[in-house]
């Protein structure tokens, strides 16, 4: 089995990289080949890096692992979730005090491939097993939300659980290429007025990598 593990930064999956180095014999014995792609921060870098990689290296399963912000305060920091649905949340036009996405202004049509309605939905088809994690709706943005008006607009329009800067690009590429995929996100902070003193990045990285290792071992049958 060929598994692609991609992340925006090395920091987010550093423990997993150490795990791979230590478990090469077991992975080879399980006939599991893992490619690592550090794609870069944001949708532009993710799309380019994935496109270049998939041209010559087509995996059986792709996994995107990263940390992100949660709109839901009922989820604890460090909680890992599985993103089922992604919205492109800041690609469009401003109309006075309203944001209109490309579907609203009819440059895109609902359910044009690979969209389901106006979102990018992972049906989890083709996966031998899906991790038993809470599923979430994600919004992907180029500008991380840090003001009440922006947060209110996103919540009103998309009712999201998680915010990231790369998820939609990953979903888009995998859906178009018909590659089974998983997006794992660990909550490092809540989406609110920016206060880094409240963030728990080391905890989020630990729980993310614990789940990533468990997921790869399950898929590989180790």
């Amino acid at each position: 089995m060929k598994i692609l593990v991609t992340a925006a930064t090395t920091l987010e999956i550093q423990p997993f990289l150490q795990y791979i180095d230590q478990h090469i014999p077991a992975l080879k014995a399980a006939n599991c080949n893992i490619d690592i792609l550090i794609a870069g921060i944001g949708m532009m870098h993710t799309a380019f890096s994935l496109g270049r990689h998939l041209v010559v290296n087509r995996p059986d399963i792709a996994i995107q692992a990263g940390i992100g912000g949660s709109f839901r305060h009922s989820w604890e920091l460090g909680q890992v979730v599985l993103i089922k649905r992604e919205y492109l949340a800041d690609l469009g036009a401003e109309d006075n005090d309203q944001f209109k996405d490309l579907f609203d202004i009819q440059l895109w049509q609902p359910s044009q491939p690979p969209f389901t309605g106006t979102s990018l939905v992972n049906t989890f088809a083709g996966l031998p097993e899906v991790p038993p994690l809470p599923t979430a709706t994600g919004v992907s943005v180029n500008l991380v939300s840090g003001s009440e008006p922006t947060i209110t607009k996103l919540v009103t329009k998309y009712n999201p659980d998680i915010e990231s800067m790369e998820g939609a690009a990953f979903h888009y590429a995998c859906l178009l290429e018909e590659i089974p995929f998983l997006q794992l996100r660990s909550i490092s902070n809540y989406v609110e007025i920016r206060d880094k003193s409240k963030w728990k990045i080391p905890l989020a990285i630990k729980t993310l990598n614990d789940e990533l290792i468990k997921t790869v071992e399950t898929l590989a049958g180790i």
Side-chain angles (χ1 to χ4, degrees):
M1 175 182 289
K2 292 178 65 176
I3 300 175
L4 170 64
V5 175
T6 182
T9 64
T10 301
L11 174 68
E12 289 166 285
I13 59 166
Q14 187 63 54
F16 179 74
L17 299 179
Q18 294 169 354
Y19 164 85
I20 294 296
D21 287 342
Q22 296 166 5
H23 291 79
I24 290 174
L27 291 164
K28 285 185 176 179
N31 196 29
C32 180
N33 179 54
I34 297 179
D35 283 336
I36 304 295
L37 177 65
I38 305 302
I41 297 171
M43 286 179 278
M44 179 178 67
H45 289 99
T46 299
F48 175 77
S49 297
L50 271 175
R52 183 171 59 177
H53 182 88
L54 294 178
V55 166
V56 293
N57 296 284
R58 183 179 180 86
D60 298 307
I61 296 171
I63 302 172
Q64 185 183 59
I67 61 177
S70 175
F71 292 86
R72 289 179 54 171
H73 287 253
S74 59
W75 280 342
E76 294 184 1
L77 299 183
Q79 170 71 57
V80 182
V81 300
L82 195 59
I83 305 297
K84 179 177 177 64
R85 181 186 307 271
E86 277 282 358
Y87 288 96
L88 285 154
D90 61 6
L91 179 61
E94 282 189 321
D95 186 352
N96 196 10
D97 61 349
Q98 285 189 316
F99 167 72
K100 295 186 176 181
D101 62 29
L102 296 187
F103 295 102
D104 294 325
I105 59 179
Q106 299 182 352
L107 291 179
W108 286 348
Q109 299 306 311
S111 292
Q112 69 179 53
F115 289 89
T116 299
T118 60
S119 64
L120 297 158
V121 178
N122 189 352
T123 63
F124 306 119
L127 294 166
E129 189 165 342
V130 178
L133 296 169
T135 56
T137 294
V139 286
S140 291
V141 295
N142 291 292
L143 181 68
V144 173
S145 303
S147 72
E148 288 298 339
T150 298
I151 294 166
T152 298
K153 286 178 183 178
L154 288 174
V155 169
T156 300
K157 188 170 183 63
Y158 299 112
N159 191 29
D161 303 305
I162 300 293
E163 179 180 82
S164 79
M165 300 181 78
E166 299 86 19
F170 175 71
H171 278 225
Y172 185 85
C174 291
L175 287 167
L176 278 180
E177 290 298 312
E178 298 182 342
I179 296 169
F181 67 98
L182 295 168
Q183 183 192 162
L184 300 174
R185 288 282 164 189
S186 182
I187 299 168
S188 58
N189 60 281
Y190 296 114
V191 180
E192 57 191 4
I193 295 174
R194 193 174 179 86
D195 182 356
K196 292 186 70 174
S197 69
K198 297 180 181 179
W199 296 8
K200 293 188 178 180
I201 291 177
L203 172 63
I205 289 174
K206 180 186 184 304
T207 56
L208 172 68
N209 283 267
D210 288 347
E211 187 59 48
L212 178 57
I213 290 168
K214 187 189 306 182
T215 298
V216 167
E217 287 182 340
T218 300
L219 292 172
I222 297 176

